[in-house]
Amino acid sequence: MHSLPQLPQRSVGRGVAALIPQSGTEVSAAGQAAAALAALQTVPVQLAVVQAAVLLLDELAATTAGEDVRATAQETARLLRSAMAAPG
């Protein structure tokens, strides 16, 4: 089971890190990603970072055997594309 690296609490936001299952728990990487998406707030990010994430998620969705990971990767990529297309 893959897990997200431990993030400093201040980079995630006060209290938000408590909502996201951390490494070492029995929650899958897809579950951790879903929790992180649910806790997102609007933050500035460089467009190239978002584009790179979409490419990686597309590759993951195309090559993974796990349905939950594939579905989470596809939905995350869709949300990121939507955010990139939204008027700024």
Side-chain angles (χ1 to χ4, degrees):
M1 168 184 334
H2 298 287
S3 60
L4 298 174
Q6 185 73 28
L7 298 173
Q9 294 244 350
R10 63 185 168 90
S11 70
V12 179
R14 183 176 300 155
V16 175
L19 301 174
I20 303 170
Q22 300 300 309
S23 300
T25 66
E26 293 299 317
V27 178
S28 68
Q32 291 178 12
L37 289 174
L40 280 179
Q41 296 179 12
T42 302
V43 296
V45 65
Q46 292 182 358
L47 182 59
V49 172
V50 177
Q51 291 170 329
V54 168
L55 291 171
L56 290 170
L57 288 165
D58 285 341
E59 178 68 16
L60 177 65
T63 60
T64 189
E67 180 58 37
D68 60 333
V69 174
R70 184 174 33 258
T72 301
Q74 289 171 335
E75 178 63 8
T76 304
R78 184 191 70 74
L79 290 170
L80 291 172
R81 282 190 186 91
S82 175
M84 287 190 297

